[in-house]
Amino acid sequence: VRGYGPATLTATGALAVLAASVQAHFVHTPARQVGLYLAIWVTTATLALLIISIETVSRTLRMHSGLARQMIHSAAEQFLPAILAGLLLTVVLARDAPQSLWMLPGLWQVVYSLGVFSSCKFLPRPMIAVGVWYLATGLMYLAVGRGEWAFSPWAMGVPYGVGQVLVAIVLQLSDQETDDKP
């Protein structure tokens, strides 16, 4: 748990909201500007992953020096399939089914939820609620995201902004609970 910094995760939530704002300002017809849409969100995901990775490595080395390598490896091993699945879904849809690209925001959230669920054995029990959040928002988008809602910047900004803040809250409360124990 101590490998993930609540402030860092809150920052990645803010990054998602910033990306949504950039999209809203610069991508006026996202269904016709899918390349720009993908560039914004793939860049955002890459930056968030980089920020979280740097923080996780530095915090883990500081707080768990003897087990740091094992802990980092275990965390990455649990979440890596979700990251790869999201990347491969993006490539396949962009290349072979561009008419289905509107589904990407929902699919990314569903896949992210699977990464959260698979990591739950290393995280505080309430983290399951975060997985449920991402699953619910992804499925909701898939149900209503077609047509005028397709590629809405807030279909990504709100779920990831709120979701990452939820992760930070769960971790913060868990850290406080651990610190309060004798």
Side-chain angles (χ1 to χ4, degrees), residues 53-140:
S53 297
I54 290 169
E55 174 71 3
T56 300
V57 170
S58 67
R59 281 177 60 97
T60 303
L61 289 173
R62 254 191 343 263
M63 301 175 123
H64 306 286
S65 60
L67 298 172
R69 184 171 283 156
Q70 267 183 320
M71 293 175 77
I72 293 167
H73 184 267
S74 292
E77 189 176 74
Q78 297 303 308
F79 216 90
L80 189 59
I83 293 169
L84 290 175
L87 176 63
L88 293 173
L89 268 171
T90 304
V91 169
V92 168
L93 289 180
R95 194 185 71 193
D96 298 323
Q99 72 281 4
S100 299
L101 279 170
W102 70 269
M103 293 190 294
L104 272 178
L107 292 172
W108 283 336
Q109 291 162 46
V110 168
V111 169
Y112 196 83
S113 78
L114 296 174
V116 172
F117 288 132
S118 71
S119 299
C120 277
K121 73 179 187 179
F122 295 106
L123 298 171
R125 195 167 218 17
M127 198 61 73
I128 291 171
V130 175
V132 170
W133 165 260
Y134 281 112
L135 180 61
T137 59
L139 292 174
M140 189 173 11

Side-chain angles (χ1 to χ4, degrees), residues 43-59:
T43 299
T44 301
T46 302
L47 283 173
L49 180 61
L50 183 62
I51 291 167
I52 291 169
S53 297
I54 290 169
E55 174 71 3
T56 300
V57 170
S58 67
R59 281 177 60 97

Side-chain angles (χ1 to χ4, degrees), residues 159-177:
Y160 283 97
V162 170
Q164 293 303 91
V165 169
L166 287 174
V167 172
I169 290 168
V170 168
L171 293 176
Q172 184 66 41
L173 292 175
S174 174
D175 281 351
Q176 287 174 354
E177 202 173 276

Side-chain angles (χ1 to χ4, degrees), residues 145-165:
R146 182 171 240 155
E148 70 182 72
W149 290 97
F151 302 108
S152 166
W154 307 110
M156 289 290 290
V158 170
Y160 283 97
V162 170
Q164 293 303 91
V165 169

Side-chain angles (χ1 to χ4, degrees), residues 4-57:
Y4 299 113
T8 300
L9 289 155
T10 299
T12 63
L15 184 62
V17 172
L18 176 64
S21 298
V22 167
Q23 180 192 335
H25 186 73
F26 291 107
V27 185
H28 303 291
T29 54
R32 292 188 184 141
Q33 297 173 288
V34 175
L36 186 53
Y37 172 86
L38 290 174
I40 289 169
W41 288 107
V42 169
T43 299
T44 301
T46 302
L47 283 173
L49 180 61
L50 183 62
I51 291 167
I52 291 169
S53 297
I54 290 169
E55 174 71 3
T56 300
V57 170

